[in-house]
Amino acid sequence: MATTGGSNMFFDASCNGNMIFLGHRDPVFRGPRSFLSIDDMSRKRPFFSTHEELIEEEFYDEQLPEKKRRLTTEQVHQLEKSFETENKLEPDRKTELAKKLGLQPRQVAVWFQNRRARWKTKQLERDYDLLKASYDSLLSDYDDVVKENMKLKSEVVSLTEKLQAKEMNPKEGVAGPRHDQLLPHNDNPDVIEGPVKAEDRLSSDSIGSAIVDEEGLQLVDSGNSYFPGNDYSYCMDLIGNVQAKEKNDYPKMDLIQSEEDDCNDVKSGYFSNVFEAAENQNQDGDGESLGWWVWS
DNA sequence: TTGTGTTTTACGACCTCC
DNA sequence: GGAGGTCGTAAAACACAA
């Protein structure tokens, strides 16, 4: 008795008269899955698709134990076509396909199982790529916002210092600076001009940070401001804009946070774009239609 | 030719649904 | 409980570089 296959597949070319074992045996022996006569073999032998192939392989089979055979290209083509229309296999369709392709129904079922597994693996890879691209894009946007934030903070600090300097020396200069004179001349957002409080330098990432500390605001708002109304309003608008920006300029991040709060519906909210894109991409023709795919 | 990595076929174990 | 699903894995078949 010749035995082959690590998964308990065995073949007995000599036993039981004209009967042979064909199939697999469980680790705990419960008998072969099928007994086939020689005649049955020519009709039902699993790994051959056509009678011609069976004859062609006869000598080979006499010499070697049961071998795993690949399906022919035509068989695979037909199976792929069937899989495209419906990736699940009803019993009727399985029987019909098996008959049509000269395979055992079990082979057709196994082929569909493996095909679904392959498709799932590929789909996971695609989803990963899409999510990664989306993440990279968001990261880039976030970096831009952070840079813009730092630039605006440095502007505020610069203007505040100028205001304080003017308050200390009200006699300097006859007229107050115009708007364009208040604008900072600092092209490097990372460099904060003038003397800046330590906490101002350190507080670059929190909404409640002391961009303009209360002392500074009180100074500006003392009623003794050097600046005429328009300039004062300008400064306050600027400060307000900065604060509003810090509070409101992260819509995408807020949305992601909300999705994190509710992970049950992966396809809703922000990620819906990703999956819609994935579906569109697939429908656009990389050969894998998603028409029947049910996200779970 | 041979060693090695990948793909394909097939199975057992386990899970879910009817 | 049976049918059919997924998951993990074994092993044959295949591809390809050295």
Side-chain angles (χ1 to χ4, degrees), chain A residues 119-164:
Chain A
W119 188 89
K120 189 176 180 180
T121 303
K122 282 194 172 182
Q123 184 60 30
L124 282 170
E125 287 171 4
R126 278 193 287 266
D127 288 346
Y128 170 79
D129 289 340
L130 285 167
L131 284 169
K132 188 173 185 304
S134 182
Y135 169 77
D136 289 343
S137 171
L138 277 173
L139 196 62
S140 175
D141 289 349
Y142 175 74
D143 286 344
D144 290 344
V145 169
V146 166
K147 282 177 185 168
E148 174 72 7
N149 185 23
M150 291 181 69
K151 187 178 176 183
L152 289 169
K153 279 181 179 179
S154 73
E155 281 181 18
V156 169
V157 168
S158 172
L159 290 171
T160 305
E161 292 299 329
K162 284 180 181 173
L163 279 172
Q164 287 175 339

Side-chain angles (χ1 to χ4, degrees), chain A residues 153 199-200 203-213 243 246:
Chain A
K153 279 181 179 179
E199 58 267 37
D200 290 341
S203 60
S204 61
D205 58 355
S206 65
I207 290 173
S209 66
I211 300 167
V212 177
D213 59 30
Q243 290 173 331
E246 287 197 323

Side-chain angles (χ1 to χ4, degrees), chain A residues 49-67:
Chain A
S49 58
T50 65
H51 184 64
E52 289 72 26
E53 276 188 59
L54 184 64
I55 292 170
E56 240 174 59
E57 298 285 347
E58 250 177 13
F59 177 76
Y60 182 68
D61 281 339
E62 283 171 8
Q63 305 298 310
L64 293 172
E66 187 64 37
K67 287 278 184 182

Side-chain angles (χ1 to χ4, degrees), chain A residues 190-205:
Chain A
D190 295 327
V191 176
I192 298 175
E193 291 177 342
V196 180
K197 285 187 173 183
E199 58 267 37
D200 290 341
R201 293 179 189 278
L202 293 172
S203 60
S204 61
D205 58 355

Side-chain angles (χ1 to χ4, degrees), chain A residues 109-123:
Chain A
V110 165
W111 189 90
F112 266 72
Q113 286 165 13
N114 288 321
R115 186 65 183 82
R116 282 194 295 269
R118 286 195 290 274
W119 188 89
K120 189 176 180 180
T121 303
K122 282 194 172 182
Q123 184 60 30

